[in-house]
Amino acid sequence: MNKCLIYGLIASVLLTANCKKDTLTITGSETMHTMLEVVSQGYNKEHSSLEIQVIGGGSFEGVSKLVEGKTDIAASSRALTSEETRELEKKGRFENVLLAYDGIALIVHPQNKIAKISLVDASKVFSGAITDWSQIGGTPGPIQVVIRNDKSGTAAYFDTHVLKQKDIGEKEFKANKNVQFTFAAQIVSNNDEMANAIQKNPNAIGFMGMGSAQIENKSKVKALAYSKTGKDPFIEPSINNVYNRSYKLSRGLYLFYLSDRGKKIDEFISFATGEEGQVLVLKSGYLRATLPTVEVQAPK
């Protein structure tokens, strides 16, 4: 073979290897998936040499992959459990970053005449104690409960705060500690499957992050106004209502990572929690975790 051709091929291989993009992986919360893709795209406008892979699977999956060393960042729609904290502490120093706030929306088919629901009624519906829409003021028909699988941080939060009624008080929480999701529930693995299941069945009810319900799945589902006791006002899930704390079913969205695993992680985290990243969080339909930067101009 011609030596020039050989050298040319070698040079081409070396150039390709040198130009290969570094990769940053973020694994976990389905609720945070679209938001993280938007933030990642914004980051890549200034850091085009880094390929960011946003992988779903649920909050438990993200934390598990971080413990196993199979992802750079775990995205979670819930706080760490004590067991997860211990496991991560064994791996080294880890960081817990609050990226955004989100409300959990209870969702039904757009044609369902039900427009609001209380925590107690929601608990009874998702546990199977209430099985027909007529029992809560709807058109008669069997209720089809749709829930996320056991890898979902949203499902874990909903189980504790709504199903077991922790948001009403410790007395109610203890009284309902053995309440479980109904065995008749349809189980889905992500928000797309949840939205599709609700869209196909006028009698279905489910839950998902407010951003997912109000933006990417707005045409498929209807979000219900929510009241903790049924005696206090029923409030629509919205950014403003989460911000002013009038919408009670809300939680923080987190990023977890090991702090000694590379500059690329620290730089992305700084962007996501900084002003540029937080503006993108807000544009994605979530409430930013930090207050906006205010420019103070000296008097003229």
Side-chain angles (χ1 to χ4, degrees), residues 21-28 36 50-55 61-75 88 91 93-97 254-269:
K21 288 187 177 182
D22 195 7
T23 301
L24 176 74
T25 57
I26 308 172
T27 308
L36 287 169
L50 182 66
E51 180 184 349
I52 302 175
Q53 297 179 349
V54 181
I55 304 168
E61 179 77 359
V63 176
S64 176
K65 292 299 183 186
L66 184 62
V67 171
E68 295 171 6
K70 295 180 179 179
T71 191
D72 295 307
I73 299 172
L88 284 171
K91 302 296 179 180
R93 182 178 176 182
F94 74 93
E95 300 291 341
N96 180 339
V97 175
Y254 303 90
L255 297 177
F256 306 128
Y257 64 101
L258 296 169
S259 60
D260 58 350
R261 299 302 167 90
K263 185 179 178 181
K264 64 182 180 182
I265 300 175
D266 294 330
E267 289 180 345
F268 176 79
I269 294 292

Side-chain angles (χ1 to χ4, degrees), residues 43 50 107 125 131 141 182 190 237 274 297:
Y43 183 76
L50 182 66
I107 53 173
V125 166
T131 59
T182 173
N190 56 51
Q297 295 182 349

Side-chain angles (χ1 to χ4, degrees), residues 100-107 115 208-215 218 222-227 234-251 281-282 284-288:
Y101 289 99
D102 184 33
I104 296 178
L106 285 138
I107 53 173
M208 64 172 56
M210 182 187 74
S212 297
Q214 303 282 35
I215 297 180
K218 187 176 182 179
K222 179 176 74 173
L224 301 178
Y226 178 78
S227 167
F234 286 86
I235 305 296
E236 299 283 344
S238 70
I239 291 177
N240 286 339
N241 290 337
V242 172
Y243 179 78
N244 63 30
R245 299 297 187 265
S246 60
Y247 187 76
K248 302 300 184 183
L249 191 54
S250 61
R251 65 322 182 20
V281 164
L282 192 62
S284 302
Y286 298 82
L287 177 63
R288 55 185 293 157

Side-chain angles (χ1 to χ4, degrees), residues 78-93:
R78 60 170 179 79
L80 290 169
T81 66
S82 56
E83 182 179 351
E84 288 168 341
T85 300
R86 287 193 296 270
E87 288 298 316
L88 284 171
E89 286 175 342
K90 294 177 184 177
K91 302 296 179 180
R93 182 178 176 182

